[in-house]
Amino acid sequence: MSESFVFYQGKIVKEDDVKISVRSKAFNYGLGVFEGIRAYWDDENEQLYGFKLKEHYDRLKQSAKTVNLEFDLTVDELIQGTVDLLKANNCRTTTYVRPIVYNDALDIGPTLDGKDAKVVIYTQPLNKYAGKPELSVGVTSWKRISNNQLPPRTKATAAYMNSALAALETKRAGFDEAIFLTDGDHVCEGSGENIFMFKKGKLVTPPPSDNILEGITRDLVMKLAKEEMGLEVEERSISRSELYVADEVFFSGTAMEVTPIVEVDHREIGTGHEGEVCKQIKSLFFGLTLGQNPKYAESCTPVYDK
Ligand code: PMP
């Protein structure tokens, strides 16, 4: 295997040269925030496109600010660092990019005093994340963390214990993924993706006040539905049983992309197969990840010089 590089503290260095202590607060208490980004490979033109880099790094800065882990690198420097890293690793397939900002102090105690935050970015080939093209999901008994517990709009590493518990429970019960409810029993999101429902000609998705991560794919799906398909899009609370009688339900997320849900709690959704709205949104989505759609070209940052 060829040598792998990471972006660490503003520089591209060998992955093996970056060490994290067993004493690090990031390891002991999960004191970090992170992002999940995709870079899409265009085989025909032998080009790789970082997707929505600005949006992801804006969110990373906001997550870091919220939990007092601020750092000096600007969004432009993080974007450039990502391009340099993808080049250094000679990524020539669709790739996941994982930036992490973490508290690397070594003393005992879960403190967030803003000091010692480090920034690392690594890359990982990732084609499809969903194990199947159509998903069967179940509502988990674990409730989604709320804004006054661990702000869900920050992508905090510690929050993923909540996600992992939900995924564990629903996978053991035979489902492909989990759907969280809020403390108030509104539909929230999946363990790592936002959720949409299509019913009576309208696309509906939970609002940020229902403790979702404000997904970058979610924003794009709403924009595509409104501007390219002329659909009415509503952000409002959804109750669990509304999903059962929806015409379509689907997930959106960087890893999950746009993936249809055909069963919720063993109730078949719509026809029991991917619906037309999901299919169209998926096709619009994949139609712009390689910079092919001029209106959305700025979503795609070319990596290799041409
Ligand atoms: N919710 C959660 C909990 C997530 O981890 C993710 C993945 N980042 C999403 C939603 C989807 O967000 P995005 O579209 O920005 O990847």
Side-chain angles (χ1 to χ4, degrees):
M1 208 175 119
S2 63
E3 200 163 56
S4 174
F5 294 92
V6 296
F7 175 95
Y8 178 68
Q9 298 291 78
K11 296 197 185 78
I12 305 290
V13 300
K14 286 183 199 162
E15 180 170 347
D16 287 348
D17 289 348
V18 178
K19 301 278 183 264
I20 177 159
S21 166
V22 292
R23 295 169 192 269
S24 173
K25 285 184 200 268
F27 180 59
N28 284 252
Y29 308 112
L31 300 186
V33 292
F34 70 105
E35 269 305 318
I37 306 175
R38 267 185 191 267
Y40 283 96
W41 175 244
D42 177 354
D43 209 28
E44 205 175 307
N45 298 303
E46 303 208 326
Q47 180 60 285
L48 186 68
Y49 292 96
F51 193 59
K52 297 264 178 201
L53 297 183
K54 181 175 179 328
E55 287 81 350
H56 282 283
Y57 285 119
D58 280 342
R59 187 169 67 186
L60 184 71
K61 294 285 269 186
Q62 285 173 22
S63 295
K65 177 182 178 182
T66 304
V67 302
N68 209 35
L69 276 175
E70 283 178 79
F71 57 98
D72 288 338
L73 294 163
T74 63
V75 167
D76 284 346
E77 285 166 340
L78 290 163
I79 292 174
Q80 189 58 51
T82 302
V83 167
D84 294 345
L85 178 65
L86 288 162
K87 264 189 208 156
N89 282 332
N90 194 27
C91 297
R92 292 184 168 272
T93 180
T94 294
T95 301
Y96 204 64
V97 179
R98 166 58 49 80
I100 311 173
V101 178
Y102 59 103
N103 183 345
D104 202 26
L106 306 180
D107 55 305
I108 296 287
T111 48
L112 282 166
D113 55 12
K115 282 184 250 152
D116 300 306
K118 290 193 173 153
V119 180
V120 68
I121 311 176
Y122 66 82
T123 65
Q124 167 82 41
L126 181 71
N127 194 4
K128 289 294 155 208
Y129 174 74
K132 292 175 176 172
E134 296 181 334
L135 303 178
S136 159
V137 304
V139 170
T140 171
S141 66
W142 297 96
K143 294 297 166 77
R144 189 63 174 145
I145 42 163
S146 75
N147 199 42
N148 289 315
Q149 293 164 341
L150 209 180
R153 68 161 53 75
T154 67
K155 222 173 138 53
T157 52
Y160 285 78
M161 182 70 92
N162 183 231
S163 288
L165 285 168
L168 175 69
E169 180 185 65
T170 46
K171 280 182 187 160
R172 279 186 173 165
F175 298 109
D176 302 312
E177 239 297 17
I179 294 178
F180 275 117
L181 302 181
T182 63
D183 269 339
D185 285 335
H186 296 151
V187 170
C188 180
E189 60 185 346
S191 69
E193 46 281 315
N194 294 112
I195 191 164
F196 284 86
M197 156 184 110
F198 182 70
K199 175 84 177 168
K200 293 190 182 153
K202 216 188 268 180
L203 195 60
V204 187
T205 193
S209 54
D210 275 342
N211 293 332
I212 60 165
L213 178 78
E214 288 158 87
I216 290 160
T217 323
R218 172 183 178 273
D219 278 351
L220 179 58
V221 165
M222 290 197 290
K223 188 173 163 79
L224 291 173
K226 276 186 223 163
E227 294 182 15
E228 311 300 328
M229 295 167 70
L231 286 179
E232 191 181 336
V233 179
E234 195 179 7
E235 289 177 79
R236 67 152 171 91
S237 295
I238 298 173
S239 54
R240 172 182 191 163
S241 56
E242 273 186 279
L243 293 180
Y244 299 166
V245 292
D247 297 330
E248 296 186 31
V249 180
F250 60 89
F251 275 141
S252 72
T254 298
M256 192 60 95
E257 299 166 310
V258 178
T259 302
I261 294 169
V262 296
E263 238 181 62
V264 177
D265 292 343
H266 302 297
R267 272 77 164 180
E268 197 173 84
I269 305 303
T271 61
H273 292 288
E274 177 172 17
E276 276 312 306
V277 170
C278 181
K279 208 178 275 178
Q280 271 189 55
I281 289 177
K282 219 165 80 178
S283 141
L284 287 164
F285 175 81
F286 286 111
L288 62 84
T289 54
L290 306 180
Q292 313 94 316
N293 184 332
K295 182 170 164 192
Y296 297 88
E298 65 184 28
S299 300
C300 303
T301 307
V303 167
Y304 295 107
D305 305 320
K306 291 276 165 181

